[in-house]
Each structure stands twice: as C-alpha cells, then as structure tokens.
Amino acid sequence: MNQLHNIILPEPTLRRLPWYLAYVEILRNKRVRHVSSTRISKALSVDASQIAKDLSFLGVKGRTRIGYEVDDLAHALSEFLGFSRSHKAYVIGTGSLGKALIRDSGLSNYGLEITAGFDVRPDVIARADLGVPIRHIDEIYAAMRDDPAEIGILTVPPEVAQESADIAIGAGIRAIWNFTPYRVKVAEGIVMANTSIYAHLALIFTRLASTGRQ
Amino acid sequence: MNQLHNIILPEPTLRRLPWYLAYVEILRNKRVRHVSSTRISKALSVDASQIAKDLSFLGVKGRTRIGYEVDDLAHALSEFLGFSRSHKAYVIGTGSLGKALIRDSGLSNYGLEITAGFDVRPDVIARADLGVPIRHIDEIYAAMRDDPAEIGILTVPPEVAQESADIAIGAGIRAIWNFTPYRVKVAEGIVMANTSIYAHLALIFTRLASTGRQ
C-alpha cells in the first residue's frame, strides 16, 4: 500500500474516492458482494471509465463480468484515503466552531483524533468541558513534546488566522485544516486544506437569490 | 443590488469573494479607510487585476490612487454574498455533526439561522437539548407550513442521504447543503452545495503520508 502514497493523486480523483467509498459501504451493509463500475457510475453519475481509472490508482482492478469485490474495494479505499489509521489533531481556536468540531465524534470514524484544543482566551478555556484538554496557545510547544499532533484544525477569528497557523507550524504541526474565511499562507512542505464553509454559504445564498427571482 | 443576483457568478469568483470580505473586515477593525487592489493582492496572493474584475461584478469600483473605501467594500461584499440577510435552515440528521452545526452559533453571523432539526431516531430526539426543536422527519411537512426554511443541511448517514434530500425537497426545501460523503442528486432548480469534509480529510491524510516519506 505504502508506495502508492508517493504518487500525488490529482485533486479531482481524491475528491471522488470518498464518494466511491460511501457508496461501496452502503452496498457492503446490504451484503452485496460484487459491484461493476457501470453500477457505481449510475449511482453517482460519474463516467464508468473515469471510475476504473480512479480505482486503478489504488491498484484495484475489477474482473470482467463480475466487477469489483465490494469488501476488497471498501478496504482498499479506506486504507488509501487514510481513514483506517488514527491521525492526531489539535483544534486551534475553541470558539463556537472549534468546540463543535471537538464534539463531533463522527470524525474519529474517519481517522481524525482530536487530542487537545488551544485558545488565547482563558474564559473560553475555563468554560469548556469537551472531553479533551483545552490549553493556552502558548502551551502548544509543550503539548507537541508530550502528545504530538500532525494536524492543526484552524478555527480562530480571521484576523489571527495567519499568526495562529504560523505558531502551530512553528511548534511542529505539519498540516493545517483551515476553516476560517482567511486565506492562510504556509511554507512548502506544509499540507494545507481549506474547508470554505462561508464560501459554500455564499454559494447557496446567491444561487437561492437568483433562482427565487426567475 | 438585487438585479446583480441575476448574474450567475462563476464559482471561482464566488469562492474568492469571502476571502476579500474577511480581509476587508480585518482592515475595518483596524480603522483603515481605504485599500488598493494591490494591497489586497499582496495579502491574499490573488492577482490584482483578478480582484478588480471580481469586484466589478458587484458594481464596486476603486478610485485611482485611493483605492476602495473599506466600509463600502465590506458592506457591498456582505450584502452580495447574502451574509447580511437571515436565511432559515433545517438540519436533517441530528447525529454528531448535525448537533455540532446547530450548536455553532457562529453561522448566524453569516446569515444562517437554523430553526429546527429533524431525525428518525426518537432517542436522538429525546436526548437533544440544542436550543431549537428537534422533530421527527415525518413532521417536516407541518414544519414547512408553520415556520418554513429555505435550506436543508444534510447530516444524515450516507445510506439515507438521497432519500432524506428527496423528502426535504418534497416538503418545499429549495437548497441542500450536503455534508455527507454521498453524492446526492437533485432536480434542476434546486440549489446544491457539497461540503466534503471527508474529501478534505483524505486530502490531508494522503498528502501527509507522501510528504512524510520524502
């Protein structure tokens, strides 16, 4: 499995793989044994040849007229996407969204283990009862020694987003998952993912406004 | 302002506008009065001519050597993106993530008002104390009569994602914000936005795995 990770997959492929996994998991729960790319194609409206190509990146091949083994495919996808292995993460900024993510136990099913939260406001820290320690941001260096994390989940106010990311990276964090609307910049070699909740909200609001007037 | 919403903005522009807003809000809090596209460009690593083009969609124009009025720009962006107006939403699926989103009061600052949650599991419904009523999914039709919502936030398990979206749309919901890893299909005229948390996790995990081995 491991050498496959040296291939940097194109992002559109990476975006489709979790769709396949979600669909294959549903089939598995229904005790379906085999699935063809044509069937996946119909369910997800993705071209069947694209599916075969995407899955070939994983080294998974379907058999003529039988298709893919559902169990094998689910296993390969989950392994490849990193969902089967635990990855430690800190939440930076324990305001409303940060707390919500700490409370969302569903993320641990996908391999994300939040082990601590950090904030600058002692009142937030004192109030919190979230099942993980909430510490002052200055303690992130000590935390990285005692119980290091790979991922910093950034849920601070936008005006301190860049500075907070810099602190986390300075302490040894290797990936930033940015939930702020601020466009954080990181050095090469640091993994960066933006989950633009506010951009998606804006997309919904503006599309609603335009369809409403037709 | 309103007729501008009849222009369907390209998605990349829509994705950049919240960055500009976040940056301009920071300047406003610092009591900065004017900002040039060059300055925004430097801060966000977006081409200055692209910024000017994006902002021209909003009917906002900078003045030579002075730039944009920060207040006006913040106001125009917030209005255009729909953040200044309240949009009612239901959360469909009050598991871990659904509850987290209901608790995230920050979303209301961006115009999203969650007014109810829906689920099929009475135990989930009974346990919940979230500040909004949590009702059985069958009651969504009645809810749409009494206190209608425009947006359905989909946080159900993937195997019931399509069916839950169909129910919500059947009850009159006009936009689906899909947080499930399932690729939900909707009829034309229904607004659809996917926030692929799991795809972003997969991106982080696979990129970490490849950088770790270099």
Side-chain angles (χ1 to χ4, degrees), chain B residues 164-184:
Chain B
S164 303
D166 293 344
I167 291 170
I169 292 163
I173 286 289
R174 295 174 47 227
I176 296 288
W177 192 3
N178 179 24
F179 280 85
T180 79
Y182 192 79
R183 203 178 184 214
V184 170

Side-chain angles (χ1 to χ4, degrees), chain A residues 204 208, chain B residues 85-92 112-118 140-153 168-169 171-176:
Chain A
I204 294 169
L208 270 176
Chain B
R85 188 171 86 72
S86 174
H87 300 76
K88 290 190 180 179
Y90 295 159
V91 165
I92 322 282
L112 189 80
E113 188 194 346
I114 297 172
T115 57
F118 294 87
I140 194 170
Y141 302 90
M144 283 295 284
R145 280 192 302 272
D146 302 338
D147 186 19
E150 291 179 285
I151 301 159
I153 303 175
I169 292 163
I173 286 289
R174 295 174 47 227
I176 296 288

Side-chain angles (χ1 to χ4, degrees), chain A residues 44 96 104-105 183 195 200 210, chain B residues 44 96 104-105 183 195 200:
Chain A
L44 305 180
S96 177
D104 178 11
S105 54
R183 202 177 184 213
T195 293
H200 297 165
S210 65
Chain B
L44 306 180
S96 178
D104 178 10
S105 54
R183 203 178 184 214
T195 294
H200 296 165

